[in-house]
Amino acid sequence: GAADLNTLPSAMVDHIEILKDGASSIYGSDAVAGVINIVTERELDHFTLEGQHNFTEQGGGNQTRLSITGGHVFDGGRLRVSGAVEYYERDAITRGDRDWASCNTRLFSPPQAPDYIDPRTGTLRCYTTGLTGENGVTINTIGTGTTAGVGATGTVGTTFNRWRPNSAVLTGIVGYEGVGGGSTTSLDIRDTFEPRMLNVDLVSGGENWNAYLQGSYDLHALGDAEIYAEALYSRRQSVQVGYRQLSLDYPDNSPLLPSQLWTTPNFSNATTYPNPAPTNVTLPPAYATGVRAFIGFGNYDTSQDVTFNRYLAGIRGDFLLPDWRYDFSVTYGRNEGEYTFESWLTDRLFHSLNVVTAPVGTPTNLVRNVNGTNYMCAVTATNPAYGCIPAPFLSNQVVAGTDFPQNWVDWTFVPVVGLSVYEELTLAGAIDGPVIDLPAGQVMAAFGIEYRDAEINDTPDFNSVNNNLYNLTASTPTRGTDTVTEVFGEVEVPLLAGQPLADALSLNVSARYTDYDSYGADWTHKVGLLYRPFEGLSFRGTQGTSYRAPALFEQFLGSTTGFLAATQDPCNNYGGLPVTSQRYINCNAEIGNTSFVQTQGVTVVSAGGAAQGLEAETSDNYTIGFVVSPTDWIGEQFGRLELAVDYFSIHVENQVTRVGFANLRSLCYDSTSFPTDPYCSYFQRNPSTLALRAFDNYTNISNQEAFGIDYSARYQQDLFGGTATVNLNLTQYKEQSFQVLPTSASSDSNGWIGSPEWVGDVAVNFETGPWVLRWGTTWVAAQSDAARRGNPAGVDLDTPDYYLHNVSVQYTQEDGDWRLTAGVRNLEDVEPPTISAGFNNRVGNSPIYSGYDYFGRQFFVNLSTNF
């Protein structure tokens, strides 16, 4: 997947190079739309101790980084050794730490229904912290068949199928008040939010340990060769706190139910085992579900422990030809990740609910006492060694998720552990040097070969493989290998130099032949031209292609079944949407019940695409632009100014990706051609239960295209005894389009939320003596989803222009022994913008987008010292 930049100690970074155009022919198959090169320090002869601490004004998210970097040159310069050790820690930010994430509201306005006021409290209603932040599966509630009873304040009618505890109710179902179903009661009456949801991580915490060592030694042989080596070790430990809901299906007339619930109509006439049923596990016989308890269970942990090792050894020196050099290396990398989360086991959960009277002498830890009678799991009678712990008696505290027997929780809710290992061996060799002298200069060339052998082995937990995780992911192992051999070459040809209107003209041509064991072979190329008619003005352009075979996990990902909350069903509570909205129209055509509330989690099935004929992706890219430096014409009396403008176009065909449930949901259920839209083929809805299943395998998107313009400016001026520097970067997207299927229309997302038309940043530095003052601003242009959602009345789907300001001051001691930097990020404590619920993925009331800051105002101080 994405490269983990945290594996390299940041203190070892010398500089970063960014190439914005495609370069597969030079850098390899993955360089489809550009390359980021992180270049480490080559030679160090001192040691630096550095520490930094960031702390947020609102709490949470504090960060600490400590590092030591150093090196030494031995034996008169023949032996060079350097390296770094770094520790980094970040505290979590919970949803409760930020006001804007603490209470999801609809943010509707008339003529839509306004945000709901809870009649019990008279205050604004907060909703489940889900993807869109509206409604949610009910908690603190039980479900029965529809029957008469006392309704809660604000309900309509006298028959209900959802109830919550209320000790003041003495008629109907004693101790319970109706909160939904069987009437026109608003579903907002239900409980869907409780304080423990605010413990969920907004930004997860974790810590990293990194160590890096590099060295080289001059042999004074083999062409004045140098042998070199690198070793990298990284360990990342991270934890996320989540919130889990639990549905307990008590059998009809179960002794674990209060007596007033024995006579209510059954919630279901069949046991609601997961579909598909678990394999290699034993479940109790089917039974009628008398009562379903919708419980807010509380918080749980998910953790990852990832260890990465990389070793490289090589030799470089003079080649056989004059001024030619060679470089040969071998690299081995191993990434091992252990991932753990907590889950109920389906077999244990259902066995614990199937109880019988316990005979005298049954161990006390295997019984549940209810009103003086001991009950045990039915399975204990035939298999005492199973250790089954009976489920809790359905009390108000259990319904509220605040009083579960600990021995039952420990037996049914267990850590689930998987292990993923990825290994890669790389052999590489290259030579470069001059080919021929031309009037304009030397023709330079480079040629090379590279071989890579990669293997992935991901083994999920036994219970995950056998679909024994209750309403959670079921996975099969992911195992596969692939090899690739590549040969490449690059030539730089100076065509003209020092001529009238042709101060310089050069041509760069590169090509690479790639041969995958899995996907066959293809050629890629790149052609670049640089023309400088005279000093101060240059024109440049490139045209290139790329070829990328799917990664191992994209090919071989084992079939994985996951579950999303019922609220993620696009038709859940669709009756609350504007009747003119496309989603309302589509859901009404499919469901035909404006009171529909999904009570089952959405099943999402994903897998690798090798078996389905997944193809390699290719791309074409173009850039053309100019660089102008007026300073070369008029001198520096007004400062030094450089301007650059570049047009880019990137077209990817057969892009390998998963479309993603959120995108599929929108593309199908917001389509004007529903249900025949090709995107709707990714969904199946059970005609009897109305449960929804989505299929999101790795597939080839027909194409994806982006083109736009990059603007850059740099201005420098001597001022007040110092030097002021201004750097400006803007990107204007003209189109960001994608097409999932050949039969579907292309969609241009330019300007949609998450795909802004403009982004940019400006940085101003002022340096005088030992002091450096910095100010920077990042800008994300306004975005809107209103038009593509049908401009629903009373719904806000627009975000304004978004600015983040950062300031800092730095002082360097005169002899450079130490340096102190302090500053503020997000100076104005700007919160992410808000949008209405029900359409886009949100966190709190804000759209999920990487360009927005979730930390708030934070202060930092950095101290480094050399010795």
Side-chain angles (χ1 to χ4, degrees), residues 138 141-151 155-156 158-164 173 176-183 185 187 190 261 264-268 290-294 593 595 597 599:
T138 181
T141 307
I142 63 171
T144 68
T146 301
T147 188
V150 177
T155 57
V156 177
T158 58
T159 58
F160 307 93
N161 60 22
R162 297 291 184 272
W163 313 82
R164 69 181 170 211
I173 302 181
Y176 290 88
E177 61 182 8
V179 291
S183 68
T185 293
L187 296 176
R190 305 170 308 169
L261 297 178
T264 58
N266 289 338
F267 177 85
S268 170
V291 174
R292 170 175 287 182
F294 297 95
N593 175 11
S595 298
V597 177
T599 60

Side-chain angles (χ1 to χ4, degrees), residues 809-825:
V809 58
Q810 183 179 88
Y811 176 80
T812 304
Q813 195 257 353
E814 185 175 354
D815 58 10
D817 285 345
W818 59 271
R819 174 180 294 168
L820 177 67
T821 307
V824 184
R825 294 177 178 171

Side-chain angles (χ1 to χ4, degrees), residues 102-343:
S102 296
C103 181
N104 292 11
T105 58
R106 285 181 174 148
L107 294 182
F108 288 169
S109 60
Q112 282 297 319
D115 286 324
Y116 187 77
I117 302 298
D118 193 323
R120 288 188 301 173
T121 63
T123 59
L124 194 66
R125 169 72 180 272
C126 297
Y127 294 93
T128 303
T129 50
L131 286 180
T132 64
E134 182 186 21
N135 299 314
V137 175
T138 181
I139 60 172
N140 190 31
T141 307
I142 63 171
T144 68
T146 301
T147 188
V150 177
T153 302
T155 57
V156 177
T158 58
T159 58
F160 307 93
N161 60 22
R162 297 291 184 272
W163 313 82
R164 69 181 170 211
N166 183 347
S167 59
V169 175
L170 302 177
T171 60
I173 302 181
V174 176
Y176 290 88
E177 61 182 8
V179 291
S183 68
T184 58
T185 293
S186 169
L187 296 176
D188 292 319
I189 295 291
R190 305 170 308 169
D191 296 339
T192 62
F193 184 88
E194 59 114 335
R196 288 178 295 178
M197 290 180 175
L198 299 181
N199 298 329
V200 172
D201 286 343
L202 178 66
V203 176
S204 64
E207 62 179 21
N208 294 354
W209 281 98
N210 298 324
Y212 178 76
L213 181 66
Q214 63 182 9
S216 62
Y217 183 75
D218 293 336
L219 294 178
H220 292 172
L222 299 177
D224 199 20
E226 172 191 59
I227 57 174
Y228 59 95
E230 297 176 5
L232 174 65
Y233 168 84
S234 174
R235 184 177 183 185
R236 171 170 58 86
Q237 295 173 296
S238 50
V239 178
Q240 300 83 40
V241 175
Y243 181 87
R244 185 67 55 79
Q245 295 171 322
L246 171 63
S247 297
L248 282 183
D249 288 346
Y250 285 84
D252 184 29
N253 294 325
S254 170
L256 300 177
L257 289 172
S259 58
Q260 69 267 35
L261 297 178
W262 291 349
T263 57
T264 58
N266 289 338
F267 177 85
S268 170
N269 289 321
T271 310
T272 53
Y273 290 139
N275 184 22
T279 58
N280 294 344
V281 296
T282 302
L283 292 176
Y287 55 78
T289 300
V291 174
R292 170 175 287 182
F294 297 95
I295 300 167
F297 177 77
N299 300 118
Y300 72 100
D301 290 338
T302 300
S303 63
Q304 303 82 34
D305 191 337
V306 181
T307 302
F308 174 61
N309 294 277
R310 177 181 179 272
Y311 308 99
L312 177 146
I315 183 172
R316 53 194 170 212
D318 295 333
F319 195 53
L320 301 175
L321 303 174
D323 298 324
W324 278 72
R325 299 279 295 171
Y326 69 87
D327 190 339
F328 298 100
S329 65
V330 56
T331 306
Y332 171 76
R334 176 183 172 90
N335 192 87
E336 181 175 308
E338 182 180 276
Y339 47 95
T340 305
F341 59 94
E342 296 172 293
S343 173

